[in-house]
Amino acid sequence: MTLNIKQTTEADLSDIFKVQAEAFGYEKEAKLVESLLGDPSANPKISLIAYQEKKPVGHILFTAGKIINSNKKVSLLAPLAVIPEYQSKGIGGMLIKAGLKHLTELDFDFVFVLGHPTYYPKYGFIPAHSYGLKAPYPIPEIHWDAWMVQALNGTDLTSTQGTVVCADELNRPEHWRE
């Protein structure tokens, strides 16, 4: 498989929308990505798209956030999408690794994700609640393992505690409910 992962430009917007909508089976995430890409509070953001030859097959977005009363540089991974016929081929993992590389180069301290608790640990994510790092909105205790963090650039996970605040478009309660 010849896969090309690149940072997105405005020329990729229709491909991003298509991947997000097809991967999730509806347009909610696609519209969220569109809003986040236009949200100045999400900067710096990393938006990567994967092409199989000329076909868009995956997309990942990382947006800026912060931890209340902390100066740590924080990013949130949301969302990750791979179109159905290309899932389980490692594309999601390649997108995550490429994004983490960019975040490391930009000196981020932490990256957070609310996601499947058996998928993201493969890429170094661990439950955040056990470190006193809370999601923007309460997560039921039964789902605490889905709120995950990864420390970057040698940052000590025990050095900071608090509640994460996302970019304006992501920091809405409807994005944090089941």
Side-chain angles (χ1 to χ4, degrees):
M1 177 179 349
T2 306
L3 194 69
N4 178 32
I5 295 175
K6 69 176 195 92
Q7 290 196 50
T8 64
T9 65
E10 278 195 43
D12 299 308
L13 289 178
S14 64
D15 286 345
I16 293 168
F17 197 89
K18 178 182 175 185
V19 167
Q20 291 288 338
E22 194 172 329
F24 287 99
Y26 48 83
E27 293 185 351
K28 179 183 171 192
E29 266 72 21
K31 289 178 180 179
L32 172 61
V33 168
E34 187 174 51
S35 296
L36 282 167
L37 289 172
D39 180 353
S41 72
N43 293 329
K45 55 188 152 244
I46 297 167
S47 175
L48 303 173
I49 192 162
Y51 286 96
Q52 170 62 40
E53 308 224 347
K54 293 184 180 186
K55 180 177 181 158
V57 296
H59 177 258
I60 194 168
L61 182 62
F62 295 86
T63 55
K66 64 182 177 180
I67 299 171
I68 296 172
N69 298 320
S70 170
N71 63 355
K72 298 293 184 190
K73 199 168 177 183
V74 171
S75 182
L76 284 96
L77 184 172
L80 166 62
V82 177
I83 62 174
E85 65 266 28
Y86 283 85
Q87 291 175 3
S88 300
K89 297 182 185 291
I91 294 169
M94 287 186 258
L95 285 164
I96 291 169
K97 289 176 185 175
L100 293 174
K101 182 176 185 258
H102 284 285
L103 290 172
T104 300
E105 290 168 355
L106 293 171
D107 293 322
F108 276 83
D109 297 298
F110 297 116
V111 58
F112 291 88
V113 66
L114 179 61
H116 201 283
T118 61
Y119 180 75
Y120 289 95
K122 297 177 201 175
Y123 304 100
F125 288 88
I126 57 177
H129 277 283
S130 55
Y131 291 93
L133 296 163
K134 298 176 185 170
Y137 291 89
I139 294 175
E141 190 172 343
I142 193 168
H143 297 298
W144 274 4
D145 285 352
W147 175 240
M148 293 172 269
V149 63
Q150 184 172 151
L152 303 172
N153 292 309
T155 303
D156 180 3
L157 270 169
T158 63
S159 67
T160 304
Q161 292 185 344
T163 301
V164 173
V165 177
C166 308
D168 294 343
E169 290 295 330
L170 187 57
N171 207 46
R172 297 178 182 189
E174 63 265 24
H175 299 305
W176 296 89
R177 292 189 206 121
E178 287 187 57

